[in-house]
Amino acid sequence: MKALLLERLDGQRPLQADRLGWRCFQLGVFVLPSSALFAGLLLLVALIQGSRRRSPWWHDRVNVVLALIAGLMVLGAAAASLRVSALPAYPPSLAWLGLFNWLPFFWAFWGFQPYLADSPGRRRAALALVAGTVPVLVTGLGQLWLGWHGPWQMLGGAVIWHLKQGGNPRGRLSGLFDYANITAAWLSLTWPLLLAALLACWRRWRDRAAGSSWRLWVVLALAAAQVGALYLTDSRNAWGAMLLAVPLVAGPASWLWLLPLLLLTLLPVALATLPGIPALLQDPARALVPQSIWGRLNDLNHHSQRKWASLRITQWSVAAGLIAERPWLGWGAAAFSVIYPLRTGRWHGHPHNIAVDLAISHGLPAAVLLVGLVLWLLIRGARQGMLQGPVFDRAWWAAVLVLAMLHASDIPIYDSRINIAGWILLAGLRCWCPSPGPRAGV
């Protein structure tokens, strides 16, 4: 059994990846949603091994940009420490601790690339993420349908799943991530990869490949479970991501018939949700579309009574003032959570937009460079034909886009597991080239 597992792990090893690093990388990606601790240990070994087999990091201009961003962040942390008297409520240690959300992952972006250097390597990583999502689905659906609750501890407390009875917030699927929006982000970023697995299995079944039938049924069951889980997170971002991924993964060849079909499917939702629709049209649409969908999209019984200080637009207006006060090096990591209550009387951990949060914490130059780098990687991949490439490469590009869009109105990347997955996706995006290179292994 052990020999069979190792043989399986050694398969399709990219040319630049050594055997130990390749094994640890795949296992780390697989256990990532279940345990940040064990995934971190495995991926650290992979990162060290991957860094040993690379050309110098400065040969890639993207790494030079990341080094510049890192320097700006360190300067900002030092500045925040020196002006502590101007904001006594802000502990200067936060400015330095906040760097761990970014600087180690700049290294990971470079060191993980040997494992994602070709399409088969990215496909392996994508399937590991899909398989690792199974515990998320099982715990989440069990939480809402079977009343499961925790905390569940394994290996003497090394792994703890904080399952809250009835979901967190109440009635929303959260599973082992313990908060619905974080679960929604994980399910959203893995959804394109699962779609790619489904398409690949369907094509094998259509070609009557051996063993294709049972694989197709397994992946169909996983896809159905993930759609149900995404719906039960009650996250509008996740619902949008679920629809966005479908045409991107299916590829441009399907758009002629798929896009009109999606628009036709969304028409009743739009009629049921949008204001100003005549009752003659809206009432039948609301009878057809579940109230949990159009009510959530219309903010019915959810946020209509929220205080002004809780709304996104208020957070962003306050954040704009903070950026204008200290535009170059920012206020220090997590400063928003300290300053916002002082100015509004309500607490929020972050401003629900990654670009805004980066600008407040580390300054506008760092924010523009980092957000611009991600957008450049996406545009570069699209221009070089990634959306016309193999199905798992299309899904990879879609997963990065989905995760980037989620950060326009939330910041799930501050969960370590989402953060690691996001930088793995970015590393794979950087590795894309129209003509994949050779690979080693069997």
Side-chain angles (χ1 to χ4, degrees):
M1 180 65 71
K2 179 181 177 181
L4 183 62
L5 174 62
L6 293 178
E7 182 182 356
R8 177 66 178 168
L9 287 173
D10 289 340
Q12 297 182 321
R13 178 164 54 91
L15 184 64
Q16 296 182 20
D18 79 304
R19 195 177 302 274
L20 174 61
W22 180 231
R23 292 173 179 176
C24 289
F25 180 76
Q26 293 174 88
L27 291 173
V29 171
F30 172 69
V31 303
L32 179 57
S34 300
S35 172
L37 172 63
F38 287 108
L41 293 174
L42 288 163
L43 290 172
L44 179 60
V45 175
L47 182 54
I48 293 171
Q49 294 297 107
S51 300
R52 293 171 56 190
R53 297 173 63 88
R54 299 297 313 279
S55 57
W57 62 268
W58 56 84
H59 285 187
D60 185 349
R61 288 176 293 179
V62 171
N63 295 329
V64 176
V65 174
L66 290 175
L68 175 59
I69 296 168
L72 291 171
M73 288 181 170
V74 171
L75 285 175
S81 299
L82 293 174
R83 58 172 177 253
V84 64
S85 59
L87 188 62
Y90 180 74
S93 60
L94 283 180
W96 296 103
L97 291 173
L99 298 181
F100 286 95
N101 286 318
W102 298 104
L103 303 193
F105 298 99
F106 296 170
W107 174 31
F109 172 81
W110 173 68
F112 285 151
Q113 288 181 28
Y115 310 113
L116 305 165
D118 57 19
S119 289
R122 291 188 290 273
R123 178 181 179 275
R124 275 297 186 93
L127 291 175
L129 285 168
V130 169
T133 302
V134 171
V136 182
L137 299 174
V138 171
T139 55
L141 295 175
Q143 176 187 53
L144 291 191
W145 291 350
L146 303 175
W148 292 352
H149 59 91
W152 291 355
Q153 299 188 29
M154 291 165 275
L155 303 175
V159 178
I160 302 177
W161 293 348
H162 296 280
L163 287 175
K164 291 194 175 179
Q165 189 168 16
N168 184 31
R170 187 78 178 179
R172 296 177 61 185
L173 183 145
S174 56
L176 59 84
F177 278 98
D178 195 41
Y179 192 70
N181 285 350
I182 302 300
T183 307
W186 181 271
L187 295 175
S188 297
L189 74 89
T190 57
W191 170 242
L193 309 177
L194 178 55
L195 276 178
L198 181 60
L199 283 176
C201 287
W202 178 78
R203 287 170 182 168
R204 284 175 57 86
W205 175 82
R206 184 188 59 186
D207 295 338
R208 302 185 183 278
S212 60
S213 182
W214 69 268
R215 288 189 177 91
L216 178 61
W217 283 110
V218 168
V219 177
L220 271 173
L222 286 177
Q226 191 140 334
V227 169
L230 279 163
Y231 170 71
L232 291 170
T233 61
D234 204 26
S235 167
R236 291 164 292 186
N237 285 341
W239 297 349
M242 182 166 52
L243 292 173
L244 174 66
V246 174
L248 294 176
V249 177
S254 67
W255 290 356
L256 187 62
W257 61 269
L258 182 57
L259 292 179
L261 180 61
L262 286 174
L263 291 174
L264 186 62
T265 303
L266 290 173
L267 180 61
V269 179
L271 292 175
T273 304
L274 295 175
I277 301 296
L280 182 65
L281 297 175
Q282 192 163 73
D283 289 345
R286 289 188 170 183
L288 178 64
V289 178
Q291 183 176 334
S292 57
I293 294 179
W294 62 260
R296 176 65 166 149
L297 294 174
N298 203 30
D299 273 347
L300 178 66
N301 297 326
H302 282 269
H303 305 299
S304 57
Q305 303 301 318
R306 288 178 66 176
K307 293 184 179 180
W308 178 252
S310 296
L311 300 177
R312 295 281 197 275
I313 188 66
T314 308
Q315 296 170 33
W316 294 339
S317 62
V318 173
L322 295 176
I323 294 168
E325 290 179 40
R326 292 181 181 170
W328 300 111
L329 296 176
W331 292 77
F336 181 86
S337 63
V338 176
I339 303 172
Y340 191 78
L342 297 176
R343 301 200 178 183
T344 66
R346 292 185 67 89
W347 184 86
H348 277 288
H350 54 71
H352 293 86
N353 179 280
I354 191 65
V356 171
D357 190 65
L358 279 166
I360 293 173
S361 299
H362 306 290
L364 268 174
V368 170
L369 286 171
L370 191 51
V371 173
L373 178 60
V374 173
L375 294 177
W376 176 80
L377 287 171
L378 280 166
I379 294 169
R380 170 183 174 271
R383 290 184 63 184
Q384 292 188 352
M386 200 168 185
L387 287 174
Q388 288 80 41
V391 64
F392 278 96
D393 282 336
R394 299 199 301 266
W396 198 278
W397 191 93
V400 176
L401 178 66
V402 162
L403 192 56
M405 293 187 68
L406 290 178
H407 283 83
S409 60
D410 203 356
I411 313 184
I413 203 170
Y414 287 144
D415 179 277
S416 61
R417 293 163 291 186
I418 303 289
N419 204 353
I420 293 170
W423 284 99
I424 288 172
L425 290 172
L426 286 174
L429 189 59
R430 178 55 176 155
C431 291
W432 162 259
C433 60
S435 300
R439 63 179 187 271
V442 293

